[in-house]
Structures are given as C-alpha cells and as structure tokens.
Amino acid sequence: MAMSAHLADDLLSTTAGGWRSFYNKLSRRLEEVGVADSSFFLNYGYLPTDGNNESAFDIREGTFNANSVRLVLEVVGPVDLNNRTIVEIGCGRGGNSALVAEKFDGEVVGIDMSSEAIAFCSKAHTKHPIDFKVGDALDLPLPDEFCDAVLNVESSHSYGNLLKFLNEVRRICRPGAWFLHTDFLSPDDWDYVRMRLATLGFVTESDRDITANVLASRDQASDNWAQVYGDGNARVANFLALPGSAIYEQMRAGLLEYRILRSQLRAAAK
C-alpha cells in the first residue's frame, strides 16, 4: 500500500487512525532507505525573514535541519525550562524533545500515538534521559498536574478534537505552567483555541503569525524528500508542504495560519 493511502486529499480531513498508520509506516520507510538516524525532525521549519525573532539560542552554522531546530527554539522563546517537567505531545521522531533536553536541565517526557516512532525515539535519543511513551493526545497517559510546560509542535491539526486536546493540556498542567503551541490551523480554529485557553485559565503572553517564516523554510525544502516517502504524488507533497502543494498555497493565501501561541496557566486557576 502506498504511504499516501493513509492521508486524505485534504490533509486536515485525515482521521486519527489514518495518521497513526501513516506515521508507523513512515518510521519503517525511513529505516528502509537508511535515513532514520538523520530524520529526527519532521516539522516545516522556520527561516528568519526579519528581526522579529524570539529564539533565546543561536544556531551554529552548519547545524543539520537548522530550520526545524529554529522552529522549536522560536516556540520556546524566552521561557526558561530549567528545573521544570516538560511534556512534548506529538513528539514524532524525538528531535524536539532531544533539543529541549539538550538546552535545558529539566525532566522531559515525549508522547506520540505511533508505537514505531516511540520505539525509534527510545533507541535513538539516549544522550539525555527522556521518557518516551506511546499515548493519545486526547487521553494522555499522565496524572493531573504533572508538568510545568507542554510543548506541541505542528501536531494538533491531526487530532480531530481541539476541545479534548486543550482540556488534556489543562489537566496535566500545574499552576503557572506554560503551553508552548505552534501549528497551522484555520483562522477560525485559532480563534477557538484562544477562547478555550482563556476559559481554561491560560493567559496568552505571545500570539504570533509566523506563516511567512514557515513558507520561506518550505521554499528551501528539497524535492528529494518525496523519494524518501516512496511515492511523489500530491498527498505526499501536501504532507511536506512543498511549494505548489495545497497546504503551502492555503498558507500563502491566508486560509491557514501558522502561528506560535505561548500561554501560561494562572497560578490561582482551579
């Protein structure tokens, strides 16, 4: 079966089961073509286009997957994650969690619905202690008030239920915890996220449209990735947001906005 068979023509209509099957097959595919150990990041990346950047860290010249690394550092921004418990929901290939564990002295937990991705993470990311777990973003395998920060990078669009997801984020957050969220969603969905976070007791400290930065990163994306995925058709191009794909064009037209929301749970919230 072609990998793209698990993806809907409209990426945002792909079911949770479709995403799980796709990512499990993707893990196997990356092993088959010999790039598993260099494919820690799957996000679209961030390319600075002006002075309005928020990463607290410089990225060394020659850093592999520099744009993807930069996206993670941009969503963390000035937040100090030292001595905190950090949960990444949708950790994928583990690059984001490993980067946070490298930059900060904190306890990092990575959760993903793909059992094959988690198996890869547990094997590949051993330099820093990270607890990788299989889990559903809508029913997290964690106790209440577990963490001081939640990181969610380019994953929430695949969950199918933003209400349940945000409720779970609230449930595992301690008072004062940060929700560090970046993704591409419709303007209406972003309005809903803002409203729901406020209802749950979060104060959004930063709300930034980075669509131009993400598109600039995609302009540098290599068509060679389509060969890795095994079938260079429109669904794969869409998953990769290659220039000319539906997702790329929807972002360019403003139908989808790639944003960073950085929100903190009020200490007195019940």
Side-chain angles (χ1 to χ4, degrees):
M1 180 183 288
M3 288 189 56
S4 60
H6 301 298
L7 301 177
D9 288 322
D10 174 6
L11 209 61
L12 301 186
S13 299
T14 301
T15 64
W19 281 113
R20 185 179 296 107
S21 297
F22 177 81
Y23 281 117
N24 278 334
K25 189 160 186 177
L26 173 59
S27 287
R28 294 194 293 271
R29 178 69 183 173
L30 292 170
E31 292 278 1
E32 289 168 7
V33 299
V35 297
D37 291 339
S38 61
S39 57
F40 294 160
F41 297 93
L42 294 176
N43 72 58
Y44 292 163
Y46 175 102
L47 192 67
T49 57
D50 54 30
N52 185 28
N53 307 300
E54 297 181 297
S55 170
F57 300 92
D58 292 326
I59 296 178
R60 291 189 302 273
E61 192 169 341
T63 295
F64 193 62
N65 284 327
N67 290 353
S68 291
V69 169
R70 184 62 182 259
L71 179 65
V72 180
L73 297 178
E74 287 292 324
V75 69
V76 174
V79 176
D80 182 1
L81 296 178
N82 285 302
N83 303 310
R84 296 178 188 261
T85 299
I86 305 122
V87 173
E88 184 188 8
I89 303 173
C91 65
R93 308 285 296 169
N96 305 340
S97 289
L99 180 64
V100 169
E102 173 193 333
K103 298 294 187 185
F104 299 98
D105 182 19
E107 178 187 349
V108 180
V109 178
I111 295 176
D112 200 88
M113 64 179 177
S114 168
S115 57
E116 298 201 24
I118 290 297
F120 169 79
C121 289
S122 298
K123 178 181 67 174
H125 300 292
T126 57
K127 186 176 180 181
H128 303 279
I130 303 170
D131 185 9
F132 288 108
K133 299 174 180 286
V134 178
D136 186 338
L138 308 185
D139 186 17
L140 295 167
L142 298 171
D144 295 355
E145 296 193 6
F146 174 80
C147 65
D148 307 294
V150 171
L151 177 66
N152 187 243
V153 177
E154 202 176 295
S155 184
S156 62
H157 65 269
S158 68
Y159 297 161
N161 191 322
L162 286 170
L163 173 62
K164 279 190 175 182
F165 167 58
L166 296 173
N167 286 350
E168 279 293 271
V169 169
R170 170 63 184 87
R171 182 182 67 77
I172 67 169
C173 278
R174 296 170 184 152
W178 286 94
F179 178 35
L180 309 172
H181 184 203
T182 190
D183 202 357
F184 58 91
L185 297 171
S186 70
D188 284 347
D189 278 345
W190 278 123
D191 283 343
Y192 178 79
V193 169
R194 293 182 189 99
M195 178 193 71
R196 188 63 193 158
L197 286 176
T199 301
L200 291 171
F202 285 90
V203 176
T204 297
E205 302 289 353
S206 177
D207 183 351
R208 182 174 159 224
D209 188 335
I210 62 166
T211 308
N213 306 91
V214 173
L215 291 176
S217 173
R218 291 292 81 197
D219 288 339
Q220 293 185 350
S222 170
D223 284 308
N224 293 337
W225 270 107
Q227 298 171 18
V228 170
Y229 288 77
D231 46 3
N233 65 23
R235 289 178 182 175
V236 170
N238 211 18
F239 171 71
L240 298 170
L242 297 177
S245 68
I247 291 289
Y248 180 98
E249 294 302 332
Q250 287 171 30
M251 284 196 286
R252 195 170 69 149
L255 301 175
L256 295 173
E257 295 174 354
Y258 206 122
R259 305 192 76 89
I260 290 173
L261 262 65
R262 202 178 297 118
S263 308
Q264 188 173 29
L265 185 60
R266 284 192 291 265
K270 298 293 185 183

